[in-house]
Structure formats: C-alpha cells, structure tokens
C-alpha cells in the first residue's frame, strides 16, 4: 500500500508530504493538489500544494548542501547511489502500485519502470566514477609566443542546483535519469514531479532519503504549475534545467537565462516501411511501438509510412495483432489502459473525428468509455488530416500509403518534431540512406523507436528538444569544464 510500512513518514493524514532539507513537510498553504485516478476518474491521492516561499527554502538548502557534496569523494557519491538503487528495487511493488493508480500504467510495465530505474542509477554511479575521474592534459603549440610554455589541465566541475522536471509517463524513470547524473557529478537536485505520478516520485525520493544522502541535497516540491512552475524555472539559484514534457519546454527555454538546458518535448516518430521489409517483423514492431502504454510514449510510432505495394498485406497483419490486444484496467495488466486524463481522451477523440470527416479508413470501430480508448488503426490517412501531423499520445495509429521512399522521407521531415524515426528493409544500404535523410535525433533500423537502453544517447532535433540525454551525455551536460594552466617562463625546449 502506498504510504504504508517504510513509507509511513511521507504521508500526513491523507496528504503526501513534500521533501525539503532532509525532512517530510506539510505545506503552510493548507492546500493540496488532487491526483485523479485515470481509471475511476476519482481523486485517488493528494499531495501538498507548496508555496513559493517553500520552494525558495528547498532551493536554498540545495544550494548550501551542494557546496559540500561537490567536495565529497566520487566513490562515496557512487556508493550512496548504489545504495539508493538497491532500496528502490526493494520497494518496486509499492512504487509500481502508485504508477498503476496515478497514471494507469499496466501492472507489469510499472514494475519494469522501477527496476529499470534502479539499474540506471547503478550504471550512472559506475559511469560517473570513470567519466568524472579523468581529465585532459594539453600542451600549447603554435599560439604566438607561447610555444610549449603552457600546460593545460582540464577537469569537470558541477553546475550547482539542477532542477529536474519529468513527465507523467515515466515519473520515476525520467526523474532518476536526471537525478542520478546530477548527483554523481556533484550537483544538488530540486525535483518537481508531474501532478500525476507525484506520489510514485515521492516514494522514489524516499528511497534516496533512506540511502542517507546529505540533508538538503535532494528536494521534491509538489504543487500547482501556475503557482510554482515559473517560480522554479526562473529562479536565480537554479543552475541547470532538465525537462521532459510537452510545449511547456519551449516556454521554459524562452524564460530561462544563461543556464544549460536539457529538454525532450515529444515527437511524431515515423516508421518507413520499404517493399522488401520483413512484414511480420514490421507488424510486431508497429503494434508494440504504437500501442504499448496506450501510445503515451514520446517515442511511440506515431505514423506508419508504408509503400503502397505492401500496404494491404501489412495492414492485415497489424490488424490481426491489434485484435489480440487486451483492453481494460491497469491492475489486470491489460495492454491498453485508460489514458492519463479526460482532456487527453477528448483531444484524441478530436483527432479521430477529424480523420473520420476527411475520409480515413477505420480498421476498427472507434470505441471509448471514460478515459479508455480502444486501439484504433486508421488506414489511407491523408496529409490534410490532423492525425497525420499531430501527436495523439493515445492508442490511435495512422497509416499513410506512399509511392516512394522519398515521399516517406518528405512527410517525416515536414514535421516540426524530430525525435526518432525508423525504417524497415532488408537492404542495409537503403537503410543507411534513409537514416541519413531522416531529420530526427535517432533512426532505428528494423526496430520501433525507443529511448533505451538508458545509457544510449537520446536526443531530438527541431521542436523535439535541446541537448542529448543518456547517462554519459547527461553527466557531461550537468558539468562544466574547468581548466588550470601552468605557465613556464621560457620555452621548455629549444630547437637546434
Ligand atoms: O521521453 C521519452 C519517453 O516518453 C519514451 O521512453 O523508454 O518508452 O522509449 P521509452
């Protein structure tokens, strides 16, 4: 049960406390933010509605704690991260239960998210010790008057306070993917979890608390975006923002000043299917890539661009698999579960209605009950339909039939997004040409898009983001290069 056993201290009455300065606190606002269970559409949890003053204090304590943490030996930082990873995995059941209730993640996927997060934290600890444990040594060369009189030593230093803002679809995994690299690099963390997913995130933070990190180093503030959102992102003592989410990221990037940003803001990942592709493999990947977690993944397949000559066969194969998807509550580990909010379901419905009006072929009947939307494949989608360009973040997948690979690439590249894409073909030469032409941060050959493994680089072009994630890239992004230069009075050697 969430908030019971080891986690009892994180709840006060029926409202979950926020975490600041090493303590679990009740907000002075006397207000709470309700968390609606997507399946029942009723309030399931409540979290504190923090005030700006409380956010200020959390940042202040993060700033103070970071100074000492930056001087803490790397192996000690790594040891604490390993400990947190182990505690996180030990508590996978209650944390997964929160994910099921808050974001309707299917039960098994919820456990996988927690386990994957523990692995990520451990990997990050190991990687950090290596990446941060070495610097460079450079010797001056042809700079006028300085031939071999300067010796440069580089090291990586932390940025300070890192603000982590993960999205609802991975409130644990996309939180630790920011927290772990920040901590191993000597930074402190202020976490603002998504509203739905906040309780899972608080439980995860509690695992870090149990691991024994210094007081103030990690804070988790909950509350309304309208009250504390801008206050956090524009705070002068925040030195770096790592954000995953939607359009809000663009607004944050315009408001924040002179600090490094790491952002992933969604995608319209295209799947290009060539005539020689293994269609069974394609169908399996499109169904998994398009419909897992009901399509609520930035990297979900969001449009299939299929060569006309193989489209009939492929659509049939996909439909056979769609028919086998189970639909229902996350507790039953169904493939398709309710989408996160009623307004998300309404938005998906808008796109479906638009496609209907403009003549798409419905491979299944459109069906919705509350936030639960049955999986739907839309064939013969045209470029004039909203579903061809917009991101439904739901279990609805458009198929566009194409006459040439160039047409597919053109459609993919006309998107404002550029997260990932994929191409299916048995010809590696063609695959490489398509990969080269697709304007996306990653192209998968013969597999659906995906962020993991978590140490692979992960980045989007265009409106899909700024910077690159993945464990090593995040460590590099959350540090600055510092150089020390030793100057010799005279050249260290003379020629002839
Ligand atoms: O932000 C990325 C997330 O939405 C997708 O991650 O692991 O499902 O590919 P993943």
């Amino acid at each position: 049960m969430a908030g019971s056993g080891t986690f009892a201290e994180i709840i006060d009455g029926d409202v979950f406390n926020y975490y600041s300065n090493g303590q679990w606190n009740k907000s002075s606002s006397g207000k709470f933010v309700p968390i609606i269970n997507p399946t029942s559409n009723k309030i399931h949890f409540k979290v504190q509605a923090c005030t700006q003053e409380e956010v200020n204090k959390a940042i202040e304590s993060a700033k103070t704690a970071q100074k000492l943490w930056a001087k803490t030996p790397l192996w000690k930082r790594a040891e604490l991260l390993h400990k947190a990873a182990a505690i996180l995995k030990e508590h996978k059941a209650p944390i997964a239960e929160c994910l099921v209730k808050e974001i309707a993640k299917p039960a098994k996927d919820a456990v996988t998210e927690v386990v994957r997060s523990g692995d990520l934290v451990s990997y990050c600890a190991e990687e950090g010790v290596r990446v941060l444990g070495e610097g460079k040594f450079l010797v001056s060369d042809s700079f006028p008057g300085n031939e071999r009189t300067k010796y440069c030593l580089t090291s990586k230093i932390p940025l300070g306070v890192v603000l982590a803002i993960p999205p609802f679809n991975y409130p644990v995994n996309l939180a630790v993917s920011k927290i772990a690299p920040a901590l191993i690099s000597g930074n402190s963390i202020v976490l603002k979890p998504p509203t739905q997913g906040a309780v899972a995130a608080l439980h995860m933070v509690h695992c870090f608390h149990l691991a024994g990190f210094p007081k103030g180093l990690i804070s988790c503030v909950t509350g309304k975006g309208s009250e504390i959102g801008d206050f956090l992102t524009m705070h002068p003592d925040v030195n770096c923002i790592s954000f995953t989410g939607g359009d809000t990221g663009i607004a944050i990037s315009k408001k924040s000043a002179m600090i490094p940003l790491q952002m992933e803001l969604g995608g319209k990942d295209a799947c290009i299917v060539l005539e020689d592709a293994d269609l069974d493999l394609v169908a399996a990947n499109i169904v998994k890539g398009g419909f897992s977690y009901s399509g609520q993944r930035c990297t979900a397949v969001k449009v299939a661009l299929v060569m006309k000559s193989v489209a009939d066969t492929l659509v049939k194969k996909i439909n056979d698999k769609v028919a086998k998807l189970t639909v229902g509550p996350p507790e039953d580990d169904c493939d398709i579960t309710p989408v996160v909010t009623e307004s998300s379901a309404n938005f998906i419905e808008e796109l479906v209605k638009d496609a209907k009006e403009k003549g798409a072929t419905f491979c299944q009947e459109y069906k919705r009950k509350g936030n639960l939307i049955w999986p739907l494949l839309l064939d013969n989608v045209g470029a004039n339909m909203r579903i061809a360009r917009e991101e439904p973040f739901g279990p609805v997948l458009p198929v566009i039939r194409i006459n040439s690979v160039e047409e597919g690439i053109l459609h993919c590249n006309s998107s404002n997004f550029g997260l990932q894409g994929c191409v299916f073909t048995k010809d590696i030469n063609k695959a490489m040409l398509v990969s080269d032409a697709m304007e996306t941060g990653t192209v998968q050959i013969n597999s659906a898009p995906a962020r993991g493994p978590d140490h692979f680089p992960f980045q989007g072009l265009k409106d899909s983001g700024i910077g690159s994630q993945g464990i090593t890239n995040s460590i590099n992004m959350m540090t600055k290069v510092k150089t020390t230069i030793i100057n010799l009075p005279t050249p260290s050697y003379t020629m002839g």
Side-chain angles (χ1 to χ4, degrees):
M1 272 288 283
S4 64
T6 332
F7 294 114
E9 67 176 311
I10 78 174
I11 193 162
D12 198 333
D14 64 346
V15 185
F16 281 87
N17 291 325
Y18 74 98
Y19 185 63
S20 171
N21 206 22
Q23 284 166 346
W24 295 93
N25 312 290
K26 202 171 166 174
S27 170
S28 61
S29 71
K31 292 185 189 148
F32 66 85
V33 180
I35 296 173
I36 312 289
N37 179 328
T39 312
S40 66
N41 257 328
K42 294 201 172 101
I43 297 180
H44 195 90
F45 291 129
K46 294 171 186 171
V47 292
Q48 302 290 336
C50 289
T51 62
Q52 294 185 354
E53 198 187 324
E54 285 157 349
V55 167
N56 220 7
K57 282 201 178 132
I59 295 175
E60 212 175 278
S61 60
K63 196 178 167 186
T64 309
Q66 191 269 331
K67 302 269 182 270
L68 202 59
W69 181 246
K71 294 188 167 48
T72 303
L74 255 177
W75 68 265
K76 180 76 193 156
R77 294 185 219 158
E79 191 177 69
L80 284 171
L81 281 170
H82 279 304
K83 214 169 153 189
I87 299 172
L88 193 58
K89 286 192 194 175
E90 253 170 56
H91 292 96
K92 59 178 189 261
I95 300 176
E97 191 190 320
C98 297
L99 295 171
V100 167
K101 301 295 181 202
E102 288 183 277
I103 60 164
K105 187 161 271 198
K108 279 192 194 141
D109 290 354
V111 173
T112 305
E113 176 173 348
V114 184
V115 174
R116 169 182 177 182
S117 301
D119 290 345
L120 189 161
V121 174
S122 291
Y123 195 115
C124 194
E126 296 287 317
E127 185 69 354
V129 169
R130 283 155 191 82
V131 172
L132 298 158
E134 55 179 46
K136 278 188 185 166
F137 170 65
L138 295 94
V139 185
S140 62
D141 196 56
S142 61
F143 196 63
N146 289 304
E147 286 82 4
R148 295 188 78 86
T149 59
K150 288 179 179 286
Y151 293 88
C152 175
L153 308 169
T154 75
S155 60
K156 290 191 170 110
I157 56 166
L159 299 175
V161 178
V162 173
L163 171 62
I165 310 182
F168 82 83
N169 61 350
Y170 283 100
V172 174
N173 184 265
L174 279 168
V176 300
S177 74
K178 303 170 192 315
I179 294 172
L183 292 179
I184 192 69
S185 310
N187 299 288
S188 57
I189 270 284
V190 175
L191 171 68
K192 163 67 180 75
T195 298
Q196 269 167 288
V199 175
L202 287 165
H203 281 70
M204 174 274 293
V205 168
H206 191 251
C207 295
F208 281 74
H209 169 77
L210 293 176
F213 281 89
K215 205 169 82 157
L217 193 69
I218 305 167
S219 293
C220 182
V221 289
T222 52
K224 286 194 185 307
S226 53
E227 171 71 15
I228 59 171
D230 278 357
F231 189 76
L232 272 163
T233 54
M234 294 167 73
H235 198 287
D237 288 329
V238 163
N239 308 109
C240 168
I241 302 175
S242 179
F243 174 93
T244 307
D247 291 355
T248 323
I250 295 177
I252 293 175
S253 72
K254 286 183 180 151
K255 288 178 195 163
S256 65
M258 288 292 284
I259 58 168
L261 301 176
Q262 183 183 52
M263 297 206 160
E264 195 263 284
L265 314 179
K268 182 75 186 170
D269 293 8
C271 174
I272 298 183
V273 183
L274 303 192
E275 280 159 324
D276 68 340
D278 173 342
L279 297 184
D280 289 311
L281 179 74
V282 180
N285 272 275
I286 285 190
V287 172
K288 189 164 185 282
F291 294 104
S292 57
Y293 189 36
S294 308
Q296 296 173 110
R297 297 166 52 241
C298 302
T299 51
V301 172
K302 298 209 177 95
V303 57
L305 303 160
V306 185
M307 287 296 285
K308 262 189 187 143
S309 57
V310 294
D312 283 344
T313 316
L314 180 63
V315 165
K316 185 177 174 327
K317 283 179 190 290
I318 297 174
N319 281 332
D320 289 347
K321 289 188 183 298
V322 168
K324 291 190 186 121
L325 293 174
T326 52
V327 182
E331 288 83 354
D332 293 352
D333 201 40
C334 290
D335 298 312
I336 305 294
T337 55
V339 296
V340 71
T341 57
E342 197 182 346
S343 63
S344 308
N346 293 343
F347 174 71
I348 297 163
E349 189 163 299
E350 257 181 47
L351 298 186
V352 171
K353 279 187 180 157
D354 174 79
K356 178 118 206 152
E357 278 160 23
K358 292 176 182 158
T361 307
F362 278 53
C363 298
Q364 294 78 24
E365 184 196 347
Y366 172 66
K367 212 169 144 194
R368 172 181 171 186
K369 198 172 164 198
N371 294 359
L372 187 61
I373 294 178
W374 270 250
L376 176 61
L377 189 75
L378 298 174
D379 195 4
N380 296 305
V381 164
N384 61 333
M385 300 178 197
R386 288 178 61 191
I387 193 78
R389 319 218 151 264
E390 295 181 42
E391 192 186 20
F393 234 68
V396 179
L397 181 65
V399 174
I400 298 181
R401 296 179 175 227
I402 53 172
N403 292 301
S404 66
V405 61
E406 289 76 17
E407 194 184 326
I409 291 167
L410 209 65
H411 182 88
C412 165
N413 291 351
S414 65
S415 172
N416 288 340
F417 288 118
L419 189 58
Q420 292 206 356
C422 61
V423 54
F424 284 84
T425 170
K426 291 186 190 122
D427 183 335
I428 188 67
N429 296 325
K430 279 190 194 155
M432 290 305 290
L433 287 173
V434 174
S435 168
D436 201 34
M438 281 174 105
E439 292 169 359
T440 58
T442 300
V443 176
Q444 303 262 357
I445 297 175
N446 292 326
S447 180
R451 174 170 49 109
D454 288 321
H455 64 293
F456 279 15
F458 179 55
Q459 56 283 315
L461 307 184
K462 300 190 261 183
D463 285 353
S464 285
I466 306 176
S468 181
Q469 300 174 68
I471 290 171
T472 315
N473 284 345
S474 293
I475 291 174
N476 285 330
M477 183 267 170
M478 291 174 183
T479 50
K480 266 189 185 176
V481 174
K482 160 101 188 246
T483 59
T484 302
I485 299 168
I486 303 167
N487 290 278
L488 298 182
T490 51
S492 58
Y493 72 97
T494 44
M495 294 284 286

